[in-house]
Amino acid sequence: MTEAVSTNFIHNIIEKDLENQKYGDAVLTRFPPEPNGYLHIGHAKSICLNFSTAAKYGGKCNLRYDDTNPVKEDMEYVNSIEEDVRWLGWEWDKRLWASDYFDTMYDAAVELIKKGKAYVCSLTADEIRAYRGTLKEPGKESPCRNQSVEENLQLFEDMKAGKFADGERVLRAKIDMASPNINMRDPVIYRIAHAEHHNTGDKWCIYPMYDFAHPIEDAIEGITHSICTLEFEDHRPLYDWVLQEVGWWPTPPQQIEFARLNITNTVMSKRYLKALVDDRVVDGWDDPRMPTIAGLRRRGYTPEAIRDFCERIGVAKANSTVEVSLLEHCIREDLKMKVQSRNVIENPIKVVITNYPEDQFEECEIENNAQVPEMGTRMVPFSRELWVDGADFMEVPVKKYFRLFPGNEVRFKGAYFITCNEVVKNEDGSIKELLCTYDPETRSGSGFEGRKVKGTIHWVDAKTAVKIKIRNYNHLMIPNEDGENVLNPASVEETFGYAEPAIADAQPGERFQFFRHGYYIADSKLTTDEEKVFNRIVDLKSSWKPGK
Ligand code: ATP
Ligand code: MG
């Protein structure tokens, strides 16, 4: 990827390391997802950061599955992760599995035991927690802490051989029970889990903990800068301790933390998102309301917009929450010069042009994208009966309403000036149709300058209209009275619309601006030749202001 990458504090660290030749000229990063769910836009930030940083310095980035936890992983997730990374526009150097290093990790653990730096502990999980102490009080040493090296080696082998049940023993690093950093108070580095692993099957019944496995994974691969999120800052001393005590790598990788991405009106936790899927609150991981990459893709977001967003939010050392309106701004910016517009009517009201001959029909030339003349024009049919949008008519207009109301003349975009003369009602009082007249002199493109009108609205010819399904999406989460994010009960509104006939050619995944409404995409799963289903990507108006 050749995109310009702005500089940030991580780049400053790397540049200093390059200057000092700490790792020679190498810059190797990795994106290490745990394959226990679909990636979300928070992961996109990490992906863009890792891949663009490597690219900036002529380095490489690996995709590594952090599959040290046997129970939660699934090939469906693995496939989705690869699709998402590629879709975002990145290509990994190597695709690797942490579980491929289980032998090395085991050897490293044995090494620590031999050096007297690790011991097998028989305390229960609750006891370990109680012994750990608090921020104010030092921890208490485990009775197992002073077992001999031989005893520990034997017990660790017994753990590996399956002689203990889950939880009966753990391997702990022997560091410092009085450390002010609780992570350093003899952390557990191996645990027993009699569970089938997707990669290693039943070869292992002991599995390394993240804090032990991750630095070793990085070191084996020759990662230079191991970029992770801020909650691991307090774990960095342990990361360094593991690599130093194992001692096999002369210039071990270094961990660098950055603030994780949070966005308003949504949630960024795989666990929570999985619950929404499992409880069928949403229609799968790629539900267009989801902040997953798959959801955003189906919603109509482009990789360019997401990369632009990740670039704009920058890389910081302090946690914060980004306004979802910035993400929406990025997709509008990306689409505005790229997509064609179509006339689509929601909440339709019938207009009958009483002075237009019944059997007459003409075509109006309308530009595909008013901002990009090179995108050409299309011919849109016009005849006596048309649909206009519910929002473009008021029987009793409010102040400064310049659209259609009885007695008012407006421009029908690309066609004629039209005057509304009469409202015809159904028996129940609802509007049946609007009786209007047109002025043949005012045809668009004729150079008519006789008078001006203030309102311009769009329309769809009734005879040739194509009925489409429309799903207008709103935020997944909204704040309640206490300011907490809760599920928005109106996160999707299903409706229908009348579209100009050109919409019949829309292919699944094709995007348009529905003129004066917003950006829409033909749903990639539900759109067929017979039925068009459109998702609203984003509306047209922006609440985001630069510098807000
Ligand atoms: P979650 O809490 O949503 O399950 P995770 O951190 O457990 O996320 P991983 O699969 O372990 O998910 O994450 C892979 C990488 O993505 C990690 O390096 C992690 O730090 C990064 N990452 C995850 N969430 C975010 C986020 N919101 N912002 C930035 N980076 C993130
Ligand atoms: Mg994780």
Side-chain angles (χ1 to χ4, degrees):
M1 184 115 337
T2 53
E3 247 159 75
V5 186
S6 60
T7 194
N8 60 49
F9 78 94
I10 296 178
H11 296 158
N12 296 343
I13 295 173
I14 293 176
E15 282 165 26
K16 222 171 109 215
D17 290 343
L18 286 170
E19 207 179 293
N20 298 333
Q21 291 282 290
K22 181 173 180 186
Y23 305 100
D25 291 326
V27 175
L28 197 62
T29 60
R30 84 287 171 266
F31 172 64
E34 194 180 340
N36 61 352
Y38 279 59
L39 299 179
H40 51 61
I41 180 133
H43 294 111
K45 177 176 178 181
S46 174
I47 292 169
C48 291
L49 179 58
N50 277 293
F51 280 91
S52 70
T53 298
K56 178 172 176 169
Y57 298 102
K60 286 173 174 164
C61 181
N62 289 340
L63 171 63
R64 181 210 307 145
Y65 294 108
D66 220 326
D67 60 342
T68 50
N69 185 355
V71 281
K72 285 188 288 182
E73 288 139 11
D74 195 315
M75 279 316 278
E76 180 197 347
Y77 300 142
V78 167
N79 295 333
S80 75
I81 288 168
E82 290 175 20
E83 181 180 5
D84 291 349
V85 173
R86 287 209 172 100
W87 180 76
L88 281 173
W90 307 105
E91 194 51 62
W92 48 89
D93 183 42
K94 298 196 184 89
R95 190 192 74 158
L96 303 158
W97 301 84
S99 55
D100 286 340
Y101 315 139
F102 281 169
D103 285 311
T104 311
M105 291 172 191
Y106 180 80
D107 293 345
V110 170
E111 178 87 17
L112 290 184
I113 297 173
K114 284 184 180 158
K115 288 173 73 176
K117 298 283 184 177
Y119 61 96
V120 172
C121 184
S122 61
L123 295 181
T124 64
D126 284 342
E127 287 168 335
I128 290 180
R129 211 170 297 124
Y131 275 54
R132 190 173 291 144
T134 63
L135 280 175
K136 291 201 187 93
E137 285 168 35
K140 210 165 79 181
E141 293 190 356
S142 159
C144 308
R145 200 172 200 261
N146 295 314
Q147 275 157 191
S148 69
V149 168
E150 290 65 38
E151 229 174 321
N152 283 319
L153 285 172
Q154 185 58 50
L155 284 166
F156 192 46
E157 212 176 298
D158 291 346
M159 279 173 66
K160 182 186 175 220
K163 294 195 183 160
F164 299 111
D166 291 7
E168 266 183 4
R169 295 287 188 285
V170 289
L171 184 71
R172 297 176 68 178
K174 191 171 174 177
I175 309 179
D176 178 5
M177 288 308 290
S179 171
N181 182 341
I182 291 180
N183 294 302
M184 299 299 271
R185 295 184 187 171
D186 291 9
V188 173
I189 58 175
Y190 255 95
R191 69 193 168 108
I192 300 169
H194 290 272
E196 173 107 358
H197 187 280
H198 74 97
N199 187 19
T200 56
D202 57 8
K203 175 172 174 192
W204 298 93
C205 64
I206 55 171
Y207 291 94
M209 302 300 287
Y210 178 90
D211 282 336
F212 180 67
H214 208 83
I216 295 178
E217 295 159 23
D218 286 341
I220 291 173
E221 291 173 17
I223 301 300
T224 56
H225 301 85
S226 178
I227 302 168
C228 68
T229 41
L230 216 50
E231 67 272 23
F232 290 101
E233 193 172 24
D234 289 345
H235 298 235
R236 190 185 341 130
L238 180 53
Y239 182 100
D240 292 339
W241 183 93
V242 168
L243 293 177
Q244 198 197 319
E245 293 300 336
V246 174
W248 295 339
W249 299 279
T251 316
Q254 62 178 312
Q255 176 181 303
I256 306 172
E257 309 85 18
F258 71 99
R260 66 193 287 126
L261 171 64
N262 293 302
I263 303 184
T264 57
N265 298 102
T266 189
V267 24
M268 213 99 310
S269 140
K270 258 188 282 188
R271 196 150 44 91
Y272 188 93
L273 297 174
K274 184 169 190 306
L276 294 182
V277 173
D278 291 345
D279 299 345
R280 299 184 170 276
V281 174
V282 295
D283 183 21
W285 285 98
D286 67 350
D287 185 298
R289 290 167 290 182
M290 291 280 269
T292 52
I293 311 226
L296 290 164
R297 175 166 59 233
R298 190 161 167 208
R299 174 73 171 266
Y301 273 78
T302 59
E304 291 83 357
I306 294 177
R307 289 204 306 267
D308 179 32
F309 173 72
C310 291
E311 188 63 33
R312 285 174 193 242
I313 55 180
V315 184
K317 205 56 191 167
N319 282 319
S320 65
T321 300
V322 176
E323 295 281 331
V324 69
S325 57
L326 176 59
L327 181 62
E328 294 169 349
H329 176 75
C330 291
I331 186 64
R332 274 188 211 101
E333 283 295 299
D334 187 43
L335 294 182
K336 74 177 182 198
M337 310 295 266
K338 281 188 185 167
V339 302
Q340 295 197 7
S341 97
R342 294 286 181 269
N343 282 357
V344 176
I345 299 299
E346 280 180 55
N347 306 310
I349 299 178
K350 174 73 73 69
V351 161
V352 179
I353 303 177
T354 49
N355 61 339
Y356 195 93
E358 281 208 36
D359 49 2
Q360 193 169 309
F361 156 88
E362 64 189 288
E363 288 193 308
C364 299
E365 187 173 14
I366 296 186
E367 65 248 290
N368 287 324
N369 184 325
Q371 296 187 58
V372 189
E374 305 83 71
M375 287 177 74
T377 60
R378 66 189 186 284
M379 303 310 286
V380 181
F382 180 96
S383 68
R384 180 182 157 94
E385 295 198 358
L386 306 163
W387 295 112
V388 295
D389 212 278
D392 287 335
F393 174 77
M394 286 187 100
E395 194 169 1
V396 183
V398 293
K399 234 176 135 187
K400 294 205 170 161
Y401 188 82
F402 300 121
R403 289 171 257 172
L404 212 53
F405 56 86
N408 193 39
E409 186 177 49
V410 299
R411 180 197 306 273
F412 273 33
K413 169 93 177 155
Y416 296 95
F417 286 13
I418 309 264
T419 304
C420 175
N421 303 305
E422 194 185 333
V423 184
V424 183
K425 298 276 182 77
N426 294 308
E427 271 176 23
D428 65 2
S430 59
I431 296 171
K432 179 166 180 264
E433 58 194 22
L434 308 177
L435 301 183
C436 302
T437 46
Y438 84 119
D439 177 353
E441 302 280 297
T442 59
R443 194 179 203 285
S444 177
S446 68
F448 174 78
E449 284 183 11
R451 62 187 181 279
K452 290 202 163 32
V453 288
K454 276 198 168 150
T456 298
I457 67 173
H458 66 291
W459 47 272
V460 162
D461 171 54
K463 221 177 280 164
T464 53
V466 176
K467 193 171 179 179
I468 60 172
K469 275 196 182 168
I470 295 177
R471 302 190 300 187
N472 287 323
Y473 289 107
N474 301 310
H475 296 141
L476 179 62
M477 319 272 303
I478 44 171
N480 65 9
E481 309 89 66
D482 303 326
E484 299 163 48
N485 258 347
V486 294
L487 281 171
N488 177 2
S491 53
V492 58
E493 293 159 42
E494 304 212 7
T495 178
F496 74 94
Y498 288 123
E500 59 172 276
I503 213 79
D505 299 327
Q507 295 303 304
E510 199 174 353
R511 299 177 183 86
F512 299 96
Q513 185 194 117
F514 287 180
F515 189 63
R516 298 174 61 226
H517 277 252
Y519 293 101
Y520 285 78
I521 186 169
D523 188 272
S524 52
K525 278 190 175 165
L526 304 177
T527 298
T528 61
D529 283 346
E530 289 73 41
E531 185 179 60
K532 308 291 173 190
V533 181
F534 282 89
N535 301 328
R536 181 168 70 196
I537 307 169
V538 67
D539 56 12
L540 285 184
K541 61 178 183 301
S542 171
S543 59
W544 184 81
K545 303 269 180 304
K548 190 178 140 181

